[in-house]
Amino acid sequence: INGNASYNHNEITELYNGLDEYEMSGTSTKLVVGHPVGEFYINRYAGVNPANGDALWLDAEGNITTEDSESDKVMLEGKSYIAPWQGGFGTSLMWRGFTLSTQFSWVADRWMFNNDRFFEESNGLYSAYNQSRRLLYERWKKPGDVTDIPRYGVTPQMDSRFLENASFLRLKNVMLSYSLPSSMLRKTKFFTAARIYIQAQNLFTLTPFSGLDPESSSNVYKAQYPMSRQYSMGIDLNF
């Protein structure tokens, strides 16, 4: 059994020219002295008004507002696209010529803006694009509806509604193999080792992230092509 884990904490202690903060344009992040690199700077989405279907946000002081204002953006403490925790673990189990080996990888407490949802839940803003079926079943339709998708016509903003936990646990590789016994190989007077195996890669992933693949180092998810699931089998022969 093998395993490893790492923890990384970073903090900005100084910026150039005596600045205390610097907003990274188009990234929903901000460099601020005393905060870590990668922490999101964004408006906080507060859901939908059940009475009329309007979108709600929190202002800078934490009060409910119906305005998505640039001045109400805040640093979201503890929500960064740079994962503080990551690691892996696996096994290599052997019995009578059979070997079962596995390798898992994991990332914890990493956040990513799901840009795909911004387009798929556009509420009429991008009507020429394919839209999520959530708009059919979960969008606000009548007074009393409790949901996170506003009424039709209230278009999305680049706020924390689309910020998702991109932590994951993934089975990167699993292999089952069988090595022929040396007594059998000696009879061939030709082979010194022989092994047959089957393996699979990226067999399954556990994650709260709703996009196709949480394994990324970016701050924003943009239709990233996912890790493919692969199956293979083979024979190793030594002469």
Side-chain angles (χ1 to χ4, degrees):
I1 297 174
N2 64 81
N4 67 84
S6 67
Y7 174 74
N8 177 279
H9 172 76
N10 77 83
E11 182 178 321
I12 300 172
T13 59
E14 184 181 1
L15 294 175
Y16 69 99
N17 288 342
L19 291 176
D20 291 326
E21 57 183 47
Y22 179 78
E23 185 171 353
M24 308 290 285
S25 177
T27 67
S28 296
T29 64
K30 190 178 187 180
L31 303 177
V32 180
V33 172
H35 288 258
V37 176
E39 192 169 83
F40 282 93
Y41 175 69
I42 202 168
N43 288 98
R44 294 171 291 175
Y45 188 66
V48 175
N49 186 336
N52 57 21
D54 285 347
L56 301 173
W57 293 270
L58 297 179
D59 65 18
E61 284 72 43
N63 303 309
I64 295 290
T65 177
T66 57
E67 299 294 328
D68 178 54
S69 173
E70 187 79 13
S71 61
D72 289 327
K73 286 185 175 181
V74 297
M75 300 294 290
L76 297 187
E77 186 174 350
K79 294 187 176 180
S80 169
Y81 70 87
I82 300 175
W85 293 96
Q86 54 187 317
F89 59 91
T91 62
S92 183
L93 308 175
M94 293 175 284
W95 180 76
R96 294 190 176 182
F98 288 96
T99 300
L100 175 64
S101 61
T102 63
Q103 191 61 47
F104 292 82
S105 66
W106 59 271
V107 166
D109 205 20
R110 196 181 90 80
W111 296 79
M112 187 160 52
F113 190 90
N114 191 341
N115 197 63
D116 288 2
R117 283 182 56 207
F118 180 82
F119 288 92
E120 294 165 0
E121 299 175 18
S122 71
N123 247 353
L125 182 61
Y126 298 105
S127 57
Y129 296 178
N130 286 333
Q131 296 293 284
S132 170
R133 63 180 180 181
R134 291 192 69 211
L135 297 181
L136 288 176
Y137 304 113
E138 300 178 42
R139 180 171 56 201
W140 187 95
K141 299 182 181 68
K142 63 183 185 305
D145 284 349
V146 178
T147 179
D148 65 333
I149 303 179
R151 58 181 168 81
Y152 182 79
V154 178
T155 55
Q157 305 298 319
M158 304 290 280
D159 53 38
S160 65
R161 171 183 165 190
F162 304 110
L163 190 62
E164 298 186 20
N165 188 341
S167 304
F168 69 87
L169 169 65
R170 169 167 282 168
L171 178 55
K172 295 291 288 184
N173 181 272
V174 58
M175 177 186 288
L176 177 64
S177 64
Y178 176 71
S179 297
L180 272 64
S182 56
S183 58
M184 181 181 296
L185 294 172
R186 281 196 297 269
K187 293 179 181 179
T188 67
K189 298 181 180 180
F190 187 71
F191 296 111
T192 58
R195 183 180 69 123
I196 184 170
Y197 66 87
I198 56 174
Q199 69 171 339
Q201 292 179 276
N202 303 315
L203 197 57
F204 72 83
T205 303
L206 302 177
T207 179
F209 186 68
S210 67
L212 294 178
D213 195 341
E215 191 168 358
S216 171
S217 59
S218 175
N219 63 306
V220 58
Y221 182 85
K222 296 180 179 179
Q224 174 183 314
Y225 195 82
M227 293 284 187
S228 60
R229 185 176 299 162
Q230 302 175 27
Y231 302 92
S232 59
M233 62 184 300
I235 299 176
D236 291 335
L237 298 173
N238 291 343
F239 304 97

